Amino acid sequence: MPRANRRRQDPPPRAPLGRGVDRSVSGPDGDWVVRELRGTTSTKTYTCPGCRTGIPPGTPHLVVWPARGTFSPGDGATERRHWHRSCFQLRGQRR
């Protein structure tokens, strides 16, 4: 069987999970600022408040904090939470 010498098309580029790119999310539980982290940027194990299991280093996840007008970087360290993506999306459905 002859070999096809055609170059395969490159897949479309993925949107980066970017470090430092924040977006706002509104829900029945309030307004939140959400930052997506690549797994390569995390070096600690965090506990997801949604499922209460660990997020090991190297796992992509979300960093979430309340979106308030008076939010300052000093306050952020105490109010930031690290979530699995799916847990944050399902946060209103948990009991």
Side-chain angles (χ1 to χ4, degrees):
M1 176 183 253
R3 193 175 107 189
N5 286 330
R6 286 183 243 141
R7 183 171 183 247
R8 291 184 185 185
Q9 287 184 335
D10 293 332
R14 289 182 169 187
L17 292 177
R19 183 175 176 178
V21 178
D22 301 340
R23 61 184 166 95
S24 297
V25 174
S26 295
D29 58 345
D31 297 329
W32 302 94
V33 178
V34 177
R35 179 177 295 165
E36 295 187 46
L37 293 182
R38 293 184 187 109
T40 58
T41 60
S42 60
T43 58
K44 293 173 33 178
T45 298
Y46 298 99
T47 301
C48 174
C51 63
R52 291 185 171 60
T53 61
I55 302 172
T59 304
H61 64 280
L62 303 176
V63 179
V64 180
W65 62 89
R68 292 193 294 252
T70 59
F71 184 76
S72 68
D75 295 336
T78 60
E79 298 193 35
R80 285 187 312 218
R81 298 293 177 259
H82 295 254
W83 290 74
H84 294 109
R85 278 191 195 96
S86 58
C87 292
F88 185 72
Q89 291 171 346
L90 297 171
R91 70 191 181 280
Q93 298 175 14
R94 293 194 183 271
R95 292 180 187 208

